[in-house]
Amino acid sequence: MPVSRRTEPVNRLTGTSVKTTRSSLGPAEPSPAERLLACADILACPQCGHPLACPVADPTVGDTPARALRCPGGHSFDLAKQGYVSLLTGASTKMTGDTPAMLDARAAFQSAGHFAPIAEALARTVAESTPPHPDTAVFGDTAVFGAKSPAAATTTTHTGIAAPGRSVAASSAAHLMATLLAADAVPTAVSGSAMPSVLEIGAGTGYYLAAVLDAVAGGRGIALDVSKAAARRAARAHVRAGSVLADAWRGLPVRDGVVDVVVCVFAPRNAEEVARALRPGGRFVVVTPTSRHLGELIGPLGMVSVDEGKQDRLAESLGGRFELVGRESVEYSMRLSRADVANVVGMGPSAFHAAERRLEAIAALPDPMPVTASVTVSVYRPR
């Protein structure tokens, strides 16, 4: 099933501006910071675990919307000018994440559509794994969450701090969330906490999360990555996604039991933290390469290979907290130019291995060259 694509005012992979046409009467395009603030009720303080929210601005006294997230314990985290928030704390993390050069290569390869079938299979799987929320009612073409009628939809705030899911950077989350959803041509919602939520760990460019959110109508997403360069890119990946800089191995800066689906594509997994973040009935969707993935390039280019036992090790590592409920194989042949080959090598774990010698090897390859893409999409539920 093809994944729907919508024109965005920024390139999802590079974050660069592109020309669009929008009626002057239509909703203003939300900034990356606004997108993040609209998802803030999903997040938790990495220092004390309390919910994060944005201080409420009072326009009657000249307040301007804040560019920070705070918790009731007084911890504050400023939003970067690119619209993401860093929730890294303490000593420097040992995880470095992708470099700008690796992300450039990945963006170029993804934008060429070579991994589109993988993104489509993932998006379809997540959409099928995301049940509708029970507190959603529909009035005409407007979805109202947690209310018996449109008039009953109200907002609540605490002194100085927006109540999670209720008020972000304005007197009410309803206005901002309606803006976000109207800008993306999906039903309007009035309570962010009732919207399906997706967290991607190791999100990189945000390519896969964007495909997922296109398939999950009204869903919100958090793109989490330990790379600052990735956080900058992911901040513009999708109109309904916020970007967070964090180290998943130190703990996910996410509230307990609030995420519908956690997605992990070619990235490390923290099973304990994923289980904590998922709501009852939530799903963990993992995409892993098989031993045939990029097999035609491994020998000639000396790339890091995938061993046959990877799926068994994945199941073993998750077995204590998760139960496998579904698995799909996605395998097809790509026709890659030498430039494509250079990008697919440069975007992964083989990027730093014998780079100079590899350029000569790539030049000796056929142009174009048939290369196999082969992955497994696995769905787990908490035990």
Side-chain angles (χ1 to χ4, degrees), residues 41-369:
D41 59 289
I42 300 172
L43 301 175
C45 177
Q47 294 185 341
C48 66
H50 285 110
L52 287 175
C54 181
V56 178
D58 185 355
T60 64
V61 296
D63 284 354
T64 57
R67 288 183 59 89
L69 296 177
R70 297 176 186 170
C71 76
H75 302 116
S76 181
F77 305 90
D78 292 337
L79 273 62
K81 64 180 181 181
Q82 296 88 353
Y84 70 90
V85 66
S86 175
L87 298 182
L88 287 171
T89 60
S92 298
T93 177
K94 296 180 180 179
M95 303 293 291
T96 57
D98 295 335
T99 66
M102 293 172 70
L103 289 161
D104 286 343
R106 183 170 301 149
F109 192 82
Q110 291 169 339
S111 64
H114 298 302
F115 280 172
I118 298 174
E120 291 167 2
L122 172 65
R124 181 179 65 253
T125 298
V126 172
E128 294 171 351
S129 302
T130 309
H133 280 248
D135 54 349
T136 303
V138 178
F139 303 93
D141 60 354
T142 301
V144 179
F145 299 90
K148 296 181 179 179
S149 69
T154 60
T155 59
T156 303
T157 61
H158 296 164
T159 302
I161 294 288
R166 297 295 186 183
S167 181
V168 287
S171 60
S172 166
H175 173 73
L176 179 55
M177 193 58 61
T179 300
L180 294 177
L181 292 168
D184 204 31
V186 299
T188 301
V190 299
S191 174
S193 60
M195 298 169 60
S197 57
V198 181
L199 167 68
E200 183 179 5
I201 301 174
T205 63
Y207 172 77
Y208 294 105
L209 181 60
V212 166
L213 292 178
D214 274 349
V216 179
R220 298 179 298 163
I222 293 290
L224 187 146
D225 205 288
V226 73
S227 163
K228 184 180 294 187
R232 289 171 176 168
R233 285 180 181 267
R236 292 185 174 273
H238 196 279
V239 72
R240 285 181 275 121
S243 180
V244 175
L245 179 66
D247 183 356
W249 290 108
R250 288 187 174 181
L252 297 173
V254 174
R255 295 167 59 195
D256 294 352
V258 297
V259 179
D260 290 277
V261 180
V262 175
V263 171
C264 191
V265 183
F266 306 147
R269 298 158 293 277
N270 186 335
E272 291 292 327
E273 280 294 282
V274 171
R276 178 188 63 79
L278 283 173
R279 72 172 180 86
R283 294 293 185 266
F284 186 22
V285 182
V286 183
V287 179
T288 51
T290 75
S291 59
R292 297 178 297 282
H293 188 60
L294 307 180
E296 294 84 353
L297 301 177
I298 291 173
L301 302 183
M303 295 177 62
V304 177
S305 61
V306 178
D307 68 78
E308 296 281 355
K310 188 174 183 68
Q311 286 300 318
D312 293 335
R313 290 200 310 275
L314 171 64
E316 182 179 353
S317 68
L318 299 180
R321 298 304 305 267
F322 291 93
E323 176 185 4
L324 180 67
V325 294
R327 180 175 287 170
E328 177 184 356
S329 296
V330 181
E331 184 166 315
Y332 58 96
S333 180
M334 306 175 288
R335 289 180 62 81
L336 303 185
S337 67
R338 289 171 184 161
D340 292 328
V341 171
N343 285 328
V344 78
V345 173
M347 72 188 209
S350 299
F352 304 110
H353 298 280
E356 293 184 2
R357 293 197 301 272
R358 184 169 293 127
L359 291 176
E360 298 178 1
I362 291 174
L365 295 176
D367 192 6
M369 178 180 182

Side-chain angles (χ1 to χ4, degrees), residues 21-30 175 178-180 182-184:
T21 57
R22 185 182 294 273
S23 168
S24 60
L25 300 179
E29 184 68 35
H175 173 73
T179 300
L180 294 177
D184 204 31

